[in-house]
Structure formats: structure tokens, C-alpha cells
Amino acid sequence: LACTIVYMLLGMTPFDAICHALATISTGGFSTHDDSFGFFASPALDWAAAFFMMSGALPFVVYIKFLRGDRSALWRDTQVRGFIMFILVVCLIMATWLSLVRGSTFGESLRDATFNVVSVVTTTGFANEDYGQWGPFAVGIFFLLMFVGGCSGSTTGGIKIYRLQVASLLTRSHLLHLISPSRIVTLMYNGRRLPDDVPFSVVAFLAIYMATIGIFTVILAAMGLDLVTALSSATTAMSNVGPGLGEIVGPAGNFAGLPPGAK
């Protein structure tokens, strides 16, 4: 409701506002226009959408704690802090790159970078322009962002920040054991010791996730798709992002032209 009202105040028709609000909070990404958010050409709407996409990517249980009076619940959560910091760093990097590549002002570059980075990381899939034209560096970054996803307990797809944080803890623990084999390393997350079954489940999930993408990339390539289309199609399907990369399934394209078997 809040998202709908904000969209209407910023220029959307009631119908567009309702449809886009539903697709924003659920991080679903379908638009009523072929150009997605690029149809509106509104910086204010881009910023509002980025805010509400991030809102949908946060753990809903943290919202409950916040509404029950725990005002510091959002920032105390390790997952939320990691997610917000990750978004900030990537947006600043992409904005700097974009301002250098196309010579636009940093403010305009920051808006475009923030909207599209948040859209891909939260697996929403909105686009306000074709970020596939931002150069090879940007394309590489957006490919990696397809894997990330938002927070566990949110509406997003992808691997999720929580699993990536646990994987980093496991990596650090393994490196410490290599340096000092007798050291006892306790895996702590959010101020608590991680249950013994969590590391195994995260590793198993990541293995199955990556193997599935690899298998379907080969299958799609066997159907005649180029490597970029095959790999990004498999990744965006597994992560529930929406757009892939390249001219065919990128943010300016769609899956309509793929062979029936690939669909």
C-alpha cells in the first residue's frame, strides 16, 4: 500500500502504481510496459523503486521485531548489515565506472547504477535501461550479482546473503586451520554459535546450485544458444532474477526468441 501511494504521488497512474508495487515488494519484476521502469523516465521513481526493492529483500521477521518495539533490530542483524554494505559498495563502484565510461554526472550514474544493481541483487528484474551496453566490466559485475540474492526470510531468490556469509566463515576457518592445525575455531553468526548441520547444508546447497547451472548451461548451448545467452539464461532462471545478459535475453530483450526446448 505504501509503495502504491508513493508511485502514484510520483506520477504513475493508479493501475501502473498497483501493478508495479505488487511486482516491487514481491521482487517479481514484471512491468506493464515493455521498457519496464525506463518507460517512466523518472529519477524519483527510480529511487523510490530501489528503496522498496531493498525493503522486499530484507528478512520479514526483522520487521516484526521492529514493529514490536525493538528499534535496533534491523541494524543489529548481521545479514541486514552485510546486505546493505554490499549494495553500497557495488553501487559506488558501478557509479564511478559508469560516469567514466559514458561521461555522465556522478549523480545520474549513481541513480542508474543503484536502480539496476538493486534490481539484480534482489532478483526483482526491473530495468530502466540496457546495462548490457555499459561495457564488459559492468556485464561481468552484473553476471556475478545474479548469484547473490537478498536476505533469507525475504521474497528474493538467489543464493542469499546468509549462505554467502556462512561460506566466508567456513573459508576463514579452513585457512586458519591450514596456518595453525591445532587451533579450535568456533563459527559464530549473529552473536551465536552456528549449529553443526548449518555449514554442511550451505556447502551442499552451493554445490547443487552451481552444478545445476552448469548442467543446464551445457544443455542450452547444445540447443544452439551462444555461451553468454546459455550461461546467463541458466543463472537467471535458477536465481529467479528475470533478465539475463547479451542481446537475446538481456534487459533489452526477452526469452520469446529461444527455441521451444530451451524455454
Side-chain angles (χ1 to χ4, degrees):
L1 179 60
C3 187
T4 301
I5 292 172
V6 170
Y7 282 169
M8 288 177 62
L9 292 175
L10 295 177
M12 281 191 186
T13 64
F15 177 75
D16 277 345
I18 292 171
C19 291
H20 285 84
L22 289 169
T24 299
I25 300 300
S26 66
T27 59
F30 274 115
S31 173
T32 53
H33 304 280
D34 288 340
D35 293 332
S36 191
F37 259 77
F39 172 85
F40 303 104
S42 168
L45 278 173
D46 289 347
W47 283 114
F51 172 80
F52 283 109
M53 283 189 285
M54 287 191 65
S55 300
L58 299 181
F60 278 60
V61 68
V62 178
Y63 286 125
I64 295 173
K65 291 179 180 178
F66 181 82
L67 292 173
R68 286 180 175 175
D70 188 357
R71 301 308 182 195
S72 62
L74 278 171
W75 187 246
R76 244 193 6 256
D77 190 277
T78 302
Q79 190 177 195
V80 173
R81 290 201 309 271
F83 174 68
I84 293 175
M85 292 303 297
F86 176 79
I87 290 288
L88 287 175
V89 171
V90 175
C91 287
L92 288 174
I93 292 174
M94 287 303 305
T96 304
W97 166 262
L98 198 53
S99 61
L100 293 174
V101 168
R102 68 181 186 186
S104 56
T105 64
F106 186 77
E108 181 183 347
S109 298
L110 183 62
R111 170 176 59 88
D112 289 336
T114 300
F115 179 89
N116 290 286
V117 165
V118 170
S119 178
V120 172
V121 171
T122 62
T123 69
T124 305
F126 284 137
N128 65 352
E129 64 172 273
D130 184 5
Y131 48 76
Q133 304 300 316
W134 292 1
F137 174 76
V139 171
I141 292 293
F142 276 108
F143 174 69
L144 295 178
L145 293 180
M146 287 183 185
F147 291 90
V148 178
C151 300
S152 295
S154 70
T155 62
T156 62
I159 292 173
K160 300 288 198 307
I161 292 292
Y162 166 72
R163 292 191 182 96
L164 294 175
Q165 288 176 325
V166 172
S168 69
L169 290 175
L170 285 171
T171 303
R172 177 180 175 275
S173 172
H174 181 66
L175 290 174
L176 290 175
H177 275 296
L178 290 177
I179 297 170
S180 179
S182 299
R183 181 181 301 192
I184 297 175
V185 180
T186 302
L187 297 177
M188 302 291 292
Y189 187 84
N190 244 353
R192 298 179 180 178
R193 184 179 181 276
L194 275 177
D196 294 335
D197 61 328
V198 170
F200 174 79
S201 65
V202 168
V203 171
F205 176 90
L206 291 174
I208 295 172
Y209 196 93
M210 301 307 295
T212 305
I213 291 175
I215 291 170
F216 277 93
T217 296
V218 173
I219 293 174
L220 291 171
M223 294 180 180
L225 303 183
D226 64 272
L227 181 59
V228 172
T229 302
L231 180 57
S232 64
S233 294
T235 304
T236 196
M238 278 295 294
S239 299
N240 293 325
V241 175
L245 296 171
E247 296 181 0
I248 301 175
V249 298
N254 54 59
F255 287 73
L258 298 186
K263 291 191 179 79

